Amino acid sequence: MDTALESVAGVNPDHLGLLNASLRAPSAHNAQPWKIKPLPDGKTYELHYDHNDYLPDDPDDRDAYLTMGAFVETIVLEAPNFNLAVTVTPKLSRTGDDLFVAEVSFSPLAPGGQTDPLSAWVSKRSTNRNHYTKDALTPELETSLKDLGNALVEPKILKDVLTEASMKSWANPRFVHDLKVWYRSDKHAGDGYTSPQMHLSPVVTAALKFAFWRGNLKSKFMERIYSTRDVAMFTAAPKAAVLSATDMSPAALFDAGRRLFRSWVTIIAAGYVYHPFSIAIDEKSTAPQVAKLSNTPVPVALYRIGKSNKPPRAMSNRKPLKDVLLS
Ligand SMILES: Cc1cc2nc3c(=O)[nH]c(=O)nc-3n(C[C@H](O)[C@H](O)[C@H](O)COP(=O)(O)O)c2cc1C
């Protein structure tokens, strides 16, 4: 155990390092919707998600289940780094607004116990929104990503779809509302996203705030400026990935979230970076086009992959452990 960690009521001190590290999991809009309930046995934790606490423009809860899957996989990959083994029991039961996602149970890692090569890379993962170089993916990386359920495509084939999705999103008040809810002017805020993190210039930030004030961009000219920026960045990447699920059930989306996280850590481990572009799947009219063009029946995530010469401009913040505990 890391003795520098602050004790948190109800949490076994041996688990503080792992739980704190796992809070670095990625989440849509950096909303961090996870809630952790320690059980009296001192080794088991219930993981919950509150539907009231999240994204109005996520009607099928796709982002929610993907995010919770990514959170659980972060715990799984981090556990050996803290000499712990973890057993995951998916629950996926809903009571009112509460979704009981899974139970995780920790035990000491047996000497020589099973570890995962990705564990060494999990803490190095972050989203990278810089421009990417043209370096092609290695065949090994492509194979690993395909094995995790990703279809790899040339980004240019999605150019028109992404343009349509971007323009429609900016005209959609619910999309703009979600962005407004999670936008943070304070760079020290514990959740949400800031302009530096999203690589937004002062001019683009001003236009974004205008959209927040109006409810949407309500201007074809502004919609075009935003979509051109998004699409140029996407199509310049050497590859795009579309992750598929078996269906849109909570269990399938949760499983996809776990695979999504493993895909992202796999990319980092191979020396590459990634950046999700969810809008083309969020947008009801463009999602079927993504499915067709990538030959994936149920696409649930889209992201670009490449190499970047620069680290992310700003790291995303996290809420402290005590703020995500349920008693
Ligand atoms: C399901 C899911 C969807 C996401 N969609 C987007 C997206 O469309 N655009 C984007 O820039 N980032 C997207 N992200 C990345 C989050 O914004 C990011 O994980 C969060 O801000 C934390 O930053 P980090 O990944 O660098 O730790 C998504 C993340 C998840 C888990």
Side-chain angles (χ1 to χ4, degrees), residues 24-30 62-63 66-67 70 125-127 129 192-193 197-198 260 264 274-279 282 315-316 318:
R24 290 301 312 165
S27 57
H29 296 301
N30 198 24
R62 194 193 77 241
D63 276 344
L66 288 178
T67 292
R125 182 216 59 82
S126 64
T127 306
R129 298 182 178 84
Y193 64 94
Q197 188 197 334
M198 300 306 275
L260 184 62
W264 289 350
Y274 74 90
H275 172 193
F277 278 70
S278 304
I279 45 171
D282 291 337
M315 294 306 278
S316 54
R318 292 297 185 277

Side-chain angles (χ1 to χ4, degrees), residues 32-142:
Q32 304 158 53
W34 39 76
K35 294 277 185 292
I36 304 171
K37 184 175 177 181
L39 295 190
D41 68 0
K43 58 177 187 171
T44 309
Y45 298 82
E46 290 182 1
L47 306 180
H48 290 256
Y49 157 79
D50 183 348
H51 283 261
N52 271 338
D53 196 21
Y54 205 40
L55 307 168
D57 196 24
D58 183 25
D60 50 16
D61 288 324
R62 194 193 77 241
D63 276 344
Y65 292 116
L66 288 178
T67 292
M68 291 307 295
F71 181 52
V72 166
E73 199 59 24
T74 306
I75 295 174
V76 167
L77 289 182
E78 281 286 12
N81 297 334
F82 295 88
N83 288 320
L84 291 167
V86 56
T87 307
V88 178
T89 312
K91 298 287 181 182
L92 299 162
S93 63
R94 189 171 174 167
T95 314
D97 296 317
D98 177 71
L99 179 74
F100 180 12
V101 178
E103 221 168 58
V104 288
S105 192
F106 303 138
S107 57
L109 188 66
Q114 217 185 357
T115 55
D116 187 315
L118 290 183
S119 291
W121 294 95
V122 59
S123 67
K124 302 191 169 45
R125 182 216 59 82
S126 64
T127 306
N128 191 316
R129 298 182 178 84
N130 285 302
H131 281 279
Y132 295 173
T133 65
K134 289 280 173 208
D135 294 79
L137 274 58
T138 61
E140 294 77 19
L141 176 57
E142 293 206 356

